Amino acid sequence: MRSHGSLFEAIASLPNLEAALRRAASGKGARDSVRRFVADAAVELPRLSDELRHGRYEPRAFRQFRILDPKPRLISCSDFRDRVVHHAVCAFVAPAIEGRLIEDNYACRVGKGSHRAIQRAQVHARAHRYFLRVDIRRYYDSIDHAILLGKLARLFRERRLLDLLERIVTHAVPGQTRGKGLPIGSLTSQWLANYYLDETDHWIKEERRVSGYVRYMDDMAAWSDSRDALHALAGDLDERLRERLAVGLKHQATVVAPSSEGMPFLGWRVYPGLLRQRGSRLRRRRRLLAQRLAQFAAGELDEVKLQACARSLDGPRRFLGCGEPLVPRREGTMEQRRQPGEPWRQLEERRRVELPRGVPQQERPVEPQRQPGLPPREHSFAGQDTKLSHPSIPVFRTCGNETPDASAASKRQAHRGGGVTFVDREVRSCP
């Protein structure tokens, strides 16, 4: 591995701090803390540069708050002065990390992102029969400081830069275990957390020779034409993560299934020929749009910001070219729409009767028929006579066509008997 040097002086230089201030303040100029720092930048930046050069820089306390996105997360917001330092550090540290990452790593990189990760996942789904989807349990909270600093010491050889990175990494976050965890919300945390799993990416691609692989932070997916190979990969991956990085897989989120069933990934379900947005994400975006419309009606939001918000919320659908629109389509009168619980054929009869005179029969809208799904087949085994490298991993899968009650029932069935339950659907042709 190539190590990098002669970076610290460039990081602590006044021009780099000025550029970092502009990036950190972009879009946040209305905040009081930002306005105060920018007003005193002629004094604050030279003082900050001097503290960095002489090793006197100390990060300030975090401001914490919780969000629901869609699951609860604790955000640790750094002081604006520290965010300037983070931008200054990442301006030189990020390119060095970027040179180590594989092509199919899509987090925190220019020209990548979650939308392109979904597109790449669909390419692999079209080329392989089965997929493996894994997630790491409490990833940001589980990152070991000693292991991370050891990886950084092999990438950077300047002692002053390593000391600065150690101050940033070990800065105490309220509520986290000592020696563990990175704060969610910091720019440095994103790059360091992405780099933490880099050796796992190289192991999967270069040693295990997995051609179909995509990672977005701690969400990893692999594809193969062999189901047994994916089971073996899941067991070996869990063992390697525990031994070398002190993190573990979220067993209930470990999925092995046919690609035709659709893989849950980054808020979407990825099929070989279809991308389906998760309903909870779509409802959340519609709620946010309704809130912004209410603020606009009350005069709290101008038209420019409302349009920018609408473009942002509708961005995934516009980029991927599929998905439901933010504003639901309402075609026809209330009497011509399907009522809750009404069969499709009954709706067809109502529309045929309510069709206005003069409209030809062949021009009436035809509703699609709902295709019933095939019932899943369950195979339960306790670990013996299996080809799993790590039989203790329960592989759960929520089928794309089953109801939430059926999904919960399958998970309850998986916990009975102390073994592993694999819910599988075989692809059959209709007679």
Side-chain angles (χ1 to χ4, degrees), residues 220-236:
M220 294 180 282
W223 288 263
S224 174
D225 291 329
S226 171
R227 181 184 301 168
D228 294 336
L230 293 179
H231 275 285
L233 178 62
D236 296 342

Side-chain angles (χ1 to χ4, degrees), residues 249-398:
L249 296 182
K250 190 184 300 181
H251 291 171
Q252 293 187 0
T254 302
V255 180
V256 174
S259 298
S260 59
E261 288 292 323
M263 181 185 69
F265 192 58
L266 303 179
W268 292 71
R269 187 173 285 273
V270 181
Y271 297 87
L274 175 68
L275 295 176
R276 180 174 294 171
Q277 191 175 14
R278 184 184 298 172
S280 59
R281 292 287 185 97
L282 177 61
R283 290 190 292 270
R284 178 176 175 270
R285 289 191 175 100
R286 286 176 175 173
R287 285 196 301 268
L288 288 176
L289 180 61
Q291 294 175 7
R292 297 297 180 265
L293 290 173
Q295 293 176 354
F296 176 72
E300 301 174 1
L301 203 67
D302 59 16
E303 185 177 354
V304 175
K305 292 184 178 179
L306 176 63
Q307 292 178 352
C309 178
R311 285 194 298 268
S312 175
L313 293 174
D314 201 37
R317 186 185 67 88
R318 291 156 58 92
F319 185 91
L320 297 172
C322 59
E324 290 292 325
L326 284 178
V327 180
R329 296 188 181 95
R330 297 290 186 179
E331 298 179 357
T333 62
M334 183 62 68
E335 292 76 12
Q336 293 176 337
R337 299 175 196 157
R338 179 175 174 268
Q339 303 301 321
E342 181 184 15
W344 287 104
R345 292 189 178 182
Q346 184 177 344
L347 175 64
E348 288 282 329
E349 296 296 332
R350 275 203 304 110
R351 287 188 172 179
R352 186 179 295 109
V353 174
E354 297 169 0
L355 197 66
R357 293 184 179 180
V359 180
Q361 186 72 14
Q362 61 271 18
E363 292 185 6
R364 63 180 177 85
V366 178
E367 296 291 343
Q369 297 295 323
R370 183 172 296 179
Q371 298 293 336
L374 297 174
R377 298 192 309 168
E378 296 188 358
H379 306 279
S380 180
F381 47 90
Q384 61 271 19
D385 298 330
T386 66
K387 297 182 180 180
L388 285 176
S389 300
H390 200 276
S392 62
I393 295 183
V395 183
F396 300 112
R397 186 176 67 80
T398 302

